[in-house]
């Protein structure tokens, strides 16, 4: 085939492949244009996971009718003039190819009006070609971009899209990030006619956190505010006791732009070193403000990655800011009575204040401040575990392994409020109380699942607030939860009410158990089926089992050991970690020299 120039339509579709990867990519580019236009309100309407319709409406400056056709032309922008401007980027968009790329793979309509114009103007494009002329229309000040039938002319790209659930979640997560970065902007997201996200736009970032993570989590987030030379690092991080099983809630912004950078994540995790359990990650929403010339945002077609001029300095600054905040979060409970309660702000539910034993105001860390975190777990009473008489029934799916059963153990006490010291007929046993309780709960669940897991109704329904993308996942899994003993129902946008939980979890936090399930849904989108039930049960057990560092009464220690002895496989937790260490009498006698020289 001889060398020949590509037709303009094919050039645009190739460019679209770099910029428009999926529906969320379209939403990202359009929302960034709205923010660059100075909008204070951005409304995103999605239908069919973005494949049928994406519409973004804003009240920004608008585009003059005479520039409307140029706005959708390739490499046309109002944000750059010279090559030097590439090293002083102050806007989110600047490449001048987003609208042209989107219009080349969809049925595209743009309507806009400036404050100076009496009427608006509308332009329609299909597959990169204009349909008719620009026409005058009545429209409010601002811009509305309507994208229909995305990838209708490149069906191969449609085949590579994920499920509707996944594509919706990506859009939810994207809008969540921009709502956090721009708290003065009112965001509204509607997916298939249902509101998925709405913020007030009043500038209170903690209020946005409450809308996304729930009032309780937002109240406990720690505020970071640190100035390190020309770097200003601010935002919110979770205390060590609030964690996730994944890193997806670690969010960084550089000069208002959401970015993916392994160096920043590594710096954050380094600051949490020794404070988190293995496999657990914090929540973080951190903003790095720096001179534009110190960061290159033009290293990725979708502007998702950046390059720092001094990456080591940025790493140290993030680690220092986060570590300083965590150290200020003193892990010593305040035993003094709190001051008289004050009226609660609206984002915490309004009405009378609820006095917390360790703090009366949202935690904020700055120079000279000291925080008091939640008090440690109280000692558990004798009813902390099921009675020893209600032992696990044999499970036909888990055959007894020779030598796997435990002898009768006598608890002696605890070490570091984490390990139970017990005496057996053949020596000393050190039992990891968390791993042991995981195993007990797991085998009881597995034994009951054949006949249906009994439910325990709650005296008062518990309200659980989830992120928009988590709420969407849970809604699709609600029909499956009844067989687990959960009774969950929608209760407003991104909010659910738990009316019953599995009887085995009656003494645990219902919200924590439900969140454990949601985290597993996020990692595996397959609906609850028999082949993954055991894994999900193990996940729930891990989250609700008694934790290390929790003091247990002698009766609770005794009950836990009796239940562990009744297990089919008591020597490891469901994830394979050992539940105990055995030190034989012979080993003890050798260590103390009682056997004499050999």
């Amino acid at each position: 085939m001889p060398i020949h120039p590509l037709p303009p339509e094919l050039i645009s579709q190739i460019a679209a492949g770099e910029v428009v990867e999926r529906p969320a990519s379209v939403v990202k580019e359009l929302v960034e244009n709205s923010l660059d236009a100075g909008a204070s309100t951005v409304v995103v309407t999605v239908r069919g996971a973005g494949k049928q319709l994406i519409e973004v409406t804003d009240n920004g400056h608008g585009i003059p009718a005479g520039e409307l056709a140029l706005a959708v032309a390739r490499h046309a922008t109002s944000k750059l003039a010279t090559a030097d401007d590439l090293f002083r980027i102050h806007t989110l968009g600047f490449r001048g190819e987003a609208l042209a790329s989107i219009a080349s793979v969809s049925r595209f309509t743009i309507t806009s009006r400036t404050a100076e114009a009496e009427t608006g103007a509308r332009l329609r494009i299909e597959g990169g070609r204009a349909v008719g002329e620009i026409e005058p229309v009545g429209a409010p000040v601002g811009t509305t971009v309507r994208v229909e039938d995305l990838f209708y002319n490149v069906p191969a790209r449609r085949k590579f899209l994920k499920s509707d659930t996944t594509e919706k979640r990506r859009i939810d997560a994207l809008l969540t990030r921009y709502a956090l970065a721009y708290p003065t902007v009112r965001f509204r997201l509607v997916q298939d006619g249902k509101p998925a996200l709405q913020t007030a736009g009043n500038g209170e970032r903690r209020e946005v956190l409450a809308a996304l993570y729930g009032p309780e989590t937002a109240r406990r987030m720690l505020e970071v505010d640190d100035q390190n030379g020309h770097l200003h690092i601010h935002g919110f991080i979770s205390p060590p006791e609030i964690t996730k099983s994944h890193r997806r809630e670690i969010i960084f912004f550089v000069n208002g732009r959401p970015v993916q950078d392994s160096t920043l994540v590594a710096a954050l995790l380094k600051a949490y070193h020794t404070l988190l359990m293995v496999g657990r990650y914090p929540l973080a929403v951190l903003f790095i403000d720096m001179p534009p010339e110190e960061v290159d945002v033009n290293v990725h077609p979708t502007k998702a990655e950046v390059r720092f001029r001094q990456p080591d300095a940025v790493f140290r600054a993030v680690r220092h800011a986060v570590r300083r905040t965590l150290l200020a979060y003193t892990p010593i409970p305040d035993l003094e009575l709190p001051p008289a309660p004050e009226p609660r702000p609206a984002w915490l539910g309004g009405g009378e204040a609820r006095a917390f034993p360790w703090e009366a105001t949202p935690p904020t860390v700055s120079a000279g401040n000291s925080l008091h975190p939640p008090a440690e777990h109280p000692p558990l009473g004798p009813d902390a575990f099921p009675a020893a008489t209600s032992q696990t029934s044999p499970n036909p799916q888990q055959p007894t392994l020779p030598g796997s059963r435990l002898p009768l153990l006598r608890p002696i006490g605890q070490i570091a409020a984490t390990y139970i010291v017990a005496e057996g007929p053949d020596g000393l046993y050190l039992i990891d109380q968390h791993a042991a309780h995981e195993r007990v709960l797991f085998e009881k669940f597995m034994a009951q699942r054949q006949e249906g897991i009994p439910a325990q109704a709650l005296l008062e329904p518990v309200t659980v607030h989830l992120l928009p993308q988590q709420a969407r996942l849970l809604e699709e899994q609600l029909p499956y939860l009844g067989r687990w003993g959960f009774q969950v129902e929608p209760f407003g946008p991104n909010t659910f009410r738990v009316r019953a939980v599995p009887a085995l979890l009656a003494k645990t936090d219902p919200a924590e158990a439900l969140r454990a399930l949601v985290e597993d849904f996020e990692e595996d989108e397959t609906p609850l089926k028999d082949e993954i039930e055991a894994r999900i049960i193990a996940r729930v057990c891990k989250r609700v089992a008694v934790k290390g560092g929790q003091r247990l009464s002698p009766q609770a220690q005794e009950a836990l050991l009796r239940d562990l002895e009744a297990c089919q496989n008591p020597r490891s937790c469901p994830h394979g970690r050992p539940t105990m260490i055995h030190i034989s009498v012979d080993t003890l006698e050798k260590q103390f020299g009682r056997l004499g020289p050999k």
Side-chain angles (χ1 to χ4, degrees):
M1 180 181 297
I3 298 174
H4 63 282
L6 294 174
E9 293 83 1
L10 184 55
I11 293 175
S12 296
Q13 290 181 8
I14 293 174
E18 296 180 344
V19 177
V20 186
E21 298 175 316
R22 53 179 20 97
S25 306
V26 175
V27 176
K28 175 182 184 295
E29 299 293 344
L30 298 182
V31 168
E32 288 184 350
N33 281 345
S34 296
L35 295 173
D36 283 343
S40 60
T41 299
V42 178
V43 180
V44 181
T45 304
V46 176
R47 191 166 64 239
K51 291 177 284 189
Q52 296 178 19
L53 171 69
I54 297 173
E55 183 178 84
V56 176
T57 300
D58 66 60
N59 62 347
H61 304 317
I63 303 171
E67 298 179 8
L68 206 57
L70 195 58
V72 295
R74 294 192 65 217
H75 305 307
T77 180
S78 62
K79 302 166 186 176
L80 292 178
T82 67
D84 291 339
D85 291 339
L86 281 174
F87 304 99
R88 295 187 297 270
I89 299 295
H90 293 273
T91 56
L92 295 173
F94 56 88
R95 289 172 172 263
E97 53 188 330
L99 292 183
S101 296
I102 296 169
S104 70
V105 292
S106 67
R107 307 185 198 279
F108 182 94
T109 305
I110 181 170
T111 305
S112 191
R113 177 191 159 204
T114 62
E116 297 78 17
E118 296 183 357
T119 62
R122 176 177 296 160
L123 175 62
R124 291 186 175 90
I125 299 174
E126 287 192 10
R129 296 193 176 196
V131 179
E133 301 294 330
I134 297 175
E135 55 183 339
V137 294
V141 173
T143 302
T144 297
V145 176
R146 187 178 180 89
V147 178
E148 299 175 277
D149 298 331
L150 185 63
F151 300 134
Y152 81 97
N153 54 348
V154 279
R157 183 166 293 268
R158 271 206 172 201
K159 294 179 181 179
F160 283 94
L161 295 179
K162 300 293 186 180
S163 67
D164 284 1
T165 298
T166 300
E167 299 299 341
K168 289 178 182 178
R169 283 173 50 205
R170 290 180 182 273
I171 295 172
D172 290 335
L174 180 77
L175 261 294
T176 295
R177 282 158 169 72
Y178 283 105
L180 289 169
Y182 296 88
T184 58
V185 177
R186 184 182 300 108
F187 287 91
R188 177 175 170 80
L189 171 63
V190 180
Q191 295 237 41
D192 294 323
K194 298 180 180 179
L197 172 68
Q198 183 158 346
T199 63
N202 58 8
E204 293 292 334
R205 190 166 276 133
R206 196 182 286 272
E207 186 171 331
V208 179
L209 287 173
L212 300 175
Y213 297 110
E216 182 64 17
T217 298
R219 183 185 62 82
R220 296 175 63 183
M221 293 287 278
L222 309 178
E223 186 171 352
V224 179
D225 193 352
D226 190 83
Q227 187 75 39
N228 191 318
H230 60 269
L231 294 175
H232 181 206
I233 300 169
H234 58 105
F236 295 89
I237 60 174
S238 64
E241 62 268 19
I242 298 179
T243 61
K244 293 284 186 180
S245 63
H246 52 76
R247 308 184 186 196
R248 284 191 291 275
E249 301 308 324
I250 298 177
I251 306 170
F252 280 96
F253 300 85
V254 176
N255 292 346
R257 182 190 309 277
V259 299
Q260 301 168 0
D261 189 277
S262 58
T263 299
L264 297 178
V265 175
L268 174 80
L269 297 180
K270 188 72 173 178
Y272 275 89
H273 183 59
T274 74
L275 299 179
L276 300 178
M277 290 180 60
V278 175
R280 304 301 298 179
Y281 301 93
L283 284 72
V285 181
L286 288 178
F287 303 86
I288 303 175
D289 297 333
M290 59 196 310
E293 58 270 17
E294 293 294 323
V295 57
D296 184 2
V297 300
N298 192 31
V299 296
H300 192 274
T302 64
K303 306 180 292 293
E305 299 175 6
V306 296
R307 181 183 294 123
F308 298 108
R309 178 170 293 182
Q310 300 181 33
D312 291 343
V314 176
F315 179 95
R316 290 192 299 269
V318 171
R319 182 183 60 185
H320 173 269
V322 174
R323 190 69 178 181
R324 171 178 170 271
T325 301
L326 291 171
L327 292 177
Y329 178 73
T330 310
I332 302 176
D334 186 1
L335 299 182
E336 298 179 359
L337 292 177
E342 299 177 359
R344 304 172 74 190
W347 61 273
L348 276 175
E352 294 295 323
R354 177 163 62 92
F356 299 97
W358 60 88
E359 59 183 33
T361 57
T364 300
V365 174
S366 56
N369 282 359
S370 177
L371 295 179
H372 301 285
E376 58 185 276
H377 296 286
L380 298 185
D383 60 346
F385 299 98
T389 55
S390 59
Q391 295 182 348
T392 307
S393 59
N395 186 352
Q397 296 188 359
Q398 292 183 323
T400 303
L401 299 177
S404 66
R405 305 303 287 268
L406 295 180
L408 187 65
L409 301 178
R410 180 175 69 88
I412 298 172
Q414 273 182 296
I415 297 177
T418 300
Y419 306 101
I420 298 175
V421 182
E423 178 188 12
D426 55 348
L428 184 69
Y429 287 78
L430 296 177
I431 295 96
D432 184 322
Q433 63 193 35
H434 174 69
H437 197 202
E438 275 190 76
R439 167 55 64 180
V440 169
L441 291 174
F442 178 77
E443 292 204 6
K444 289 188 175 184
F445 262 119
M446 296 298 288
Q448 292 179 351
R449 70 172 183 167
Q450 300 299 328
E451 302 166 356
I453 297 176
Q456 172 66 55
L458 303 180
L459 293 178
E460 292 288 341
V462 174
T463 302
V464 181
H465 192 95
L466 301 174
L467 286 170
Q469 58 267 33
Q470 294 174 329
R472 190 168 305 283
L473 269 178
L474 184 58
E475 285 177 354
E476 297 185 358
Q477 306 293 356
L478 286 180
Y480 297 94
L481 293 182
R483 61 191 284 189
W484 290 79
F486 285 94
Q487 292 182 17
V488 184
E489 60 187 27
F491 190 67
N494 307 326
T495 307
F496 299 84
R497 268 197 164 177
V498 183
R499 294 192 173 274
V501 296
L504 285 174
L505 305 182
K507 298 184 183 299
T508 63
D509 182 0
E512 186 75 3
L514 187 64
R515 288 193 176 98
L517 283 176
V518 173
E519 282 194 17
D520 199 271
F521 297 160
E522 288 186 294
E523 295 181 5
D524 189 333
E525 297 168 13
T526 307
L528 295 180
K529 296 178 181 177
D530 292 341
E531 60 268 20
I532 63 169
E533 280 187 354
R535 185 171 61 81
I536 296 181
I537 288 176
R539 166 80 67 178
V540 175
C541 294
K542 182 176 182 65
R543 289 292 295 272
V544 302
V546 61
K547 303 296 188 292
Q550 186 170 349
R551 298 192 307 273
L552 303 182
S553 67
Q555 297 91 337
Q557 297 175 37
E558 177 82 22
L560 178 56
L561 292 185
R562 296 293 81 81
D563 280 343
L564 186 64
E565 291 164 5
C567 289
Q568 298 289 324
N569 298 290
R571 298 182 185 273
S572 67
C573 78
H575 304 89
R577 199 163 59 86
T579 59
M580 64 188 66
I581 296 175
H582 174 223
I583 304 176
S584 67
V585 174
D586 286 345
T587 300
L588 290 173
E589 290 184 338
K590 288 179 183 177
Q591 293 297 321
F592 283 103
R594 285 183 170 274
L595 296 182
K598 291 187 176 180

